[in-house]
Amino acid sequence: MNDPEVRQLRYFVAVAEELHFGRAADRLGMAQPPLSRAIRDLERQLGVTLFERTTRQVRLTGAGEILLRDARTALEAVTAAAHRARHAGSASPRLRIALKADIDGGLLPQILDAYSTDPAALPPELVLGGFGAQPQALREGLADVALALLPIDDRGLDSEPLLTEPVLVAMAATDPLAARTRLCLADLAGRDLPTGAPADDGRTAPSPAGATRAVSNLSEIFSLVETGSIVFFAPASVARRNPRPGVAYRPVSDLPHSTLVVAWPQEARSPAVAAFVRAACAIAVAAQAETPLRSTMADRSSDSP
């Protein structure tokens, strides 16, 4: 029995995700009849039924659900292999560092300085992306190492925690709650996060920065905060680096702390990746010695309008 080809897996994943042959065909840029034939050929090749088809719906079978999970992993690996091979063959290889702008705990400049002194260091290249995009960039071979906030999808990745810090709520300086020095989630009833989720919903609070996928950057977020349209959960380091007269930062007693990690693919063997991780961990240890100062600064920022 022959193993499935990459093309067959791409076809299968499209149908499995759309659960509709017509939409899957449109997504793949092909006609529906050859797609249907390709899926039937794959089922014959594997000797199993992957989809239950009726005139009204298409559903995955148990075998189909298992293949979908593994096919996604296989396709990610193929894509990553191509990206990594192109990068490795570059005339001037670089260390690609994935992160969300301003979400580095304020550590990136020091990390880069320490990293640059390592004999294994390559020139760094920042790969900027949205909240939560960094793990996928690693899996797809678009980045070599990443800085990200927990929780992350850590499939196929290793990571080390760097910095844990309080999370503050950013609100309009004119908000009546800004007159208070400390809040709890219940106090934020009636206010929304950038996604439109309620700020007092305990299910969304644990991912402070990760809950902002609907807005593309911090400038947009803070502009909306200043108008009173939304509130925003910001790690203390983000608050320190973004003082604004129209924004007040306040501690939220029942909001979990934010943890920054450095992450990399489990199969990584690059000396440059190892050098960056060593530098990041060393700088994080040094930063922990400044924790009392950082806490004082966070409290000070939360008391200013």
Side-chain angles (χ1 to χ4, degrees), residues 76 115 131 168 187 197 213 217 260:
E76 283 180 351
Y115 165 72
F131 290 110
L168 310 178
D187 296 325
R213 299 173 192 271
N217 58 60
L260 178 75

Side-chain angles (χ1 to χ4, degrees), residues 109-157:
Q110 300 97 303
I111 293 173
L112 290 178
D113 284 345
Y115 165 72
S116 67
T117 66
D118 195 295
L122 293 174
E125 175 184 338
L126 299 186
V127 179
L128 300 179
F131 290 110
Q134 292 69 45
Q136 192 63 19
L138 293 175
R139 278 191 291 272
E140 292 183 356
L142 298 174
D144 306 302
V145 68
L147 297 176
L149 292 178
L150 293 181
I152 64 171
D153 179 356
D154 61 357
R155 290 178 295 115
L157 306 179

Side-chain angles (χ1 to χ4, degrees), residues 53-69:
R53 306 163 177 84
T54 69
T55 56
R56 302 184 61 180
Q57 65 178 353
V58 175
R59 291 179 12 182
L60 280 167
T61 64
E65 290 175 355
I66 291 174
L67 181 60
L68 176 60
R69 180 196 66 198

